[in-house]
Amino acid sequence: MNISSKIFDISIINNVIIHEKTTSTNTLAKDYIMKGCVDGTLILAKEQTAGRGRMERSFSSPSGDGIYMSLVVKPDISPELVSQITLPIALSIVDAIGEIYNIPAKIKWPNDVLINSKKVSGILTEYKNGHVIIGVGINVNNKELPGELTSTATSLYLESGISHELYTLIESIFKYFDGYYKSFLSDNNLSSIQEAYNNCLISYGKEVYIIPHSRTVGSINPMLISTEDLSPYLCKGISSTGDLICIDSEGTAHSINSGEVSIRGLHGYAQ
C-alpha cells in the first residue's frame, strides 16, 4: 500500500503506520494508545484476519483489495460525544467516493456507507483512555465477495468497473474529515453537517423498522432478523446530536440512540 507524502498536508494526520497483516486495526490502535501514540496516528493494514464491525459482526478483509484503517485522535470532549464522530467520517467517505468515482453513495445510519442499497463500507468508533479510535473498512478493488455477502454488500470496483490506488481514496476521505471534525469540535455537536448528512441518509423520509439491540446480538445477516411484530416509523433524519428522529403512527417523535437499536428499511436491508 503506497501512501503519498501529501497525506501530511492534512492537519489531522500526524503519523502513519502500515502493517502487512493484523487481526484488526482497531485492536492494534488500542495497543499503540497504551504505548503513547500521538494524536492523529493513522494505522493501515493490507489485510485483517479478524476485522470487526458494529455489534461484533465480522468484516471481510482480504489482502490488497480493501482499505482497513484506524485513526487515533484525542479530542477534548466528554465521552458521551464520542459516538457522534461516526457520522462525520461516514459523510467524508460518501464525499470521497463521489469525488473519485462519481458514484452517489448513501449512508445507512449510523455507521454503514451504501451503493445501490449494498454495503461498501463500515465504521467502528471506540473509546479508550481518552482517545477515540475511528475504524474504517472499505471494499475497494474486490472483484468478488463471499457468497453470503453478495445480497447485502458490494465494492467500488463492482459498482464502477474501475480499479484505483487505495491511497487516493484515503487522502480524499481525510481531506473532508479534517474540516468536518474541526467543526464538530468547535460546535460540540453535528449542526454543521446535519443537512448534508440527512441529504445522504438512505432512510430519510422513508418508513423503517427500529430493531432492539437484543435481537441483533449474534446475527451475521441483518436480513434474517425478524420484524414481524414491529411497527414502522417515519425517519426524519438526524438531530444535531446524531440521534435518529423517527415518528410513530400516532405522530409522536422519538429520538433514537445508535447504541440502542439497528435500523432496517421496510423493503430490504436499507430501504
Side-chain angles (χ1 to χ4, degrees):
M1 180 185 295
N2 297 316
I3 288 292
S4 164
S5 61
K6 291 190 299 182
I7 193 79
F8 293 108
D9 293 337
I10 303 170
S11 63
I12 199 173
I13 305 296
N14 294 309
N15 186 28
V16 177
I17 303 169
I18 302 175
H19 286 256
E20 286 290 326
K21 180 188 290 189
T22 187
T23 53
S24 158
T25 57
N26 267 34
T27 299
L28 198 57
K30 293 174 185 177
D31 293 336
Y32 280 113
I33 288 170
M34 298 308 294
K35 295 175 182 176
C37 70
V38 300
D39 183 12
T41 293
L42 176 61
I43 301 160
L44 302 162
K46 296 181 180 179
E47 180 182 0
Q48 291 185 134
T49 58
R52 294 182 297 119
R54 183 169 171 258
M55 299 181 180
E56 297 302 320
R57 294 194 179 105
S58 62
F59 188 90
S60 178
S61 312
S63 177
D65 289 332
I67 290 172
Y68 320 118
M69 62 184 181
S70 296
L71 177 66
V72 178
V73 291
K74 194 175 183 181
D76 184 19
I77 60 173
S78 64
E80 304 88 66
L81 298 180
V82 167
S83 63
Q84 293 186 29
I85 296 176
T86 301
L87 281 68
I89 192 69
L91 185 58
S92 301
I93 295 168
V94 168
D95 288 344
I97 290 173
E99 177 182 73
I100 295 173
Y101 290 86
N102 196 29
I103 294 175
K106 293 289 186 178
I107 298 170
K108 180 177 181 290
W109 181 88
N111 68 321
D112 289 347
V113 175
L114 313 175
I115 298 174
N116 291 325
S117 299
K118 291 186 175 184
K119 181 176 177 177
V120 73
S121 174
I123 302 159
L124 179 62
T125 304
E126 299 183 283
Y127 182 78
K128 185 173 180 66
N129 290 8
H131 297 75
V132 180
I133 304 168
I134 308 165
V136 174
I138 308 174
N139 299 327
V140 182
N141 293 325
N142 313 63
K143 293 181 172 58
E144 60 181 8
L145 295 167
E148 69 273 14
L149 297 178
T150 55
S151 63
T152 57
T154 189
S155 74
L156 291 168
Y157 176 83
L158 291 173
E159 296 297 328
S160 68
I162 301 171
S163 294
H164 276 281
E165 290 286 349
L166 302 181
Y167 74 85
T168 59
L169 184 58
I170 293 170
E171 289 173 3
S172 182
I173 289 168
F174 288 115
K175 175 188 70 177
Y176 286 108
F177 182 66
D178 190 50
Y180 293 148
Y181 179 69
K182 288 174 181 174
S183 294
F184 165 71
L185 294 183
S186 175
D187 299 337
N188 268 332
N189 61 47
L190 299 171
S191 57
S192 63
I193 70 162
Q194 192 174 348
E195 181 177 359
Y197 187 95
N198 285 336
N199 287 338
C200 296
L201 187 62
I202 196 166
S203 58
Y204 185 72
K206 298 178 181 178
E207 288 188 305
V208 296
Y209 290 120
I210 299 172
I211 304 172
H213 177 64
S214 58
R215 291 197 189 189
T216 65
V217 174
S219 171
I220 297 174
N221 185 345
M223 286 302 296
L224 299 179
I225 301 171
S226 173
T227 57
E228 186 176 354
D229 59 337
L230 299 178
S231 299
Y233 289 72
L234 179 64
C235 174
K236 300 296 287 183
I238 63 162
S239 68
S240 63
T241 61
D243 288 349
L244 197 68
I245 306 302
C246 294
I247 309 296
D248 65 23
S249 59
E250 297 181 353
T252 302
H254 299 262
S255 184
I256 311 299
N257 182 276
S258 62
E260 301 169 349
V261 300
S262 179
I263 299 296
R264 197 171 95 192
L266 264 63
H267 307 295
Y269 170 64
Q271 58 184 342

